[in-house]
Amino acid sequence: MKPIYILNGPNLNLLGLREPAVYGPETIGDLEMRCAAKAKALGQQVVFRQTNTEGELIGWIHEAQSKASGIIINGAAYTHTSVALHDALKAVNIPTIEVHLSNVYAREPFRHHSYISPVAHGVICGFGGQSYELALDGIVQILKTSGKG
Ligand code: DQA
């Protein structure tokens, strides 16, 4: 069975230090462990990555086309700016779920638009680290329904 790729964008390496009132106390390492534990409980493999570079994120999305069963992506700030991320996700034909730790719709207006949402199966935001676990539940359901899980 192919793994689910969990891809994280810029500044998420600073979780724990960065605006803890918004993003919570968990570090990116804590988040990775949380995802690994949830994946194990679901009988799935995950590949968890973070980058501060748009091109690297796009390379990983291309790689996911042949190597992953699905993508969970927190594009972070690139969510709101990147047509290239939109195009890359549109180009690969595997289930994708957009996640955010914070409720982006309760924040500044520039966070209300996402280039990822129109090319994602669904969006989960506002549950802190649990957003990722909910996304794993959701993507596994999609994979099972499509006979690929
Ligand atoms: C974020 C929300 C984005 O607006 C922001 O740029 C981030 C993190 C979140 O997980 O809540 O870096 O994606």
Side-chain angles (χ1 to χ4, degrees):
M1 194 196 314
K2 291 179 184 175
I4 296 162
Y5 275 21
I6 304 180
L7 305 178
N8 294 281
N11 302 308
L12 294 173
N13 55 312
L14 299 179
L15 285 177
L17 296 172
R18 175 190 182 206
E19 300 181 78
V22 176
Y23 297 115
E26 266 182 312
T27 66
I28 190 84
D30 295 336
L31 207 50
E32 182 170 6
M33 284 195 291
R34 188 197 264 261
C35 288
K38 178 70 181 179
K40 196 173 173 197
L42 290 168
Q44 299 285 324
Q45 303 282 337
V46 289
V47 168
F48 187 100
R49 294 181 185 159
Q50 187 276 330
T51 179
N52 293 320
T53 311
E54 189 176 13
E56 191 162 30
L57 213 43
I58 288 162
W60 290 342
I61 293 167
H62 294 173
E63 180 188 305
Q65 168 77 66
S66 61
K67 296 208 170 139
S69 58
I71 298 173
I72 293 171
I73 183 164
N74 184 348
Y78 291 141
T79 306
H80 317 300
T81 62
S82 180
V83 176
L85 262 187
H86 172 103
D87 286 350
L89 289 166
K90 198 169 187 178
V92 304
N93 193 21
I94 55 175
T96 298
I97 297 192
E98 174 183 354
V99 293
H100 301 283
L101 295 153
S102 64
N103 177 358
V104 288
Y105 300 102
R107 300 182 65 196
E108 303 95 322
F110 66 83
R111 296 184 204 277
H112 298 179
H113 177 263
S114 166
Y115 282 99
I116 296 176
S117 301
V119 288
H121 273 76
V123 184
I124 297 171
C125 72
F127 294 88
Q130 204 197 349
S131 291
Y132 287 70
E133 294 186 66
L134 295 168
L136 275 165
D137 276 329
I139 207 158
V140 167
Q141 206 50 52
I142 292 167
L143 292 171
K144 284 200 172 127
T145 307
S146 65
K148 291 176 186 156

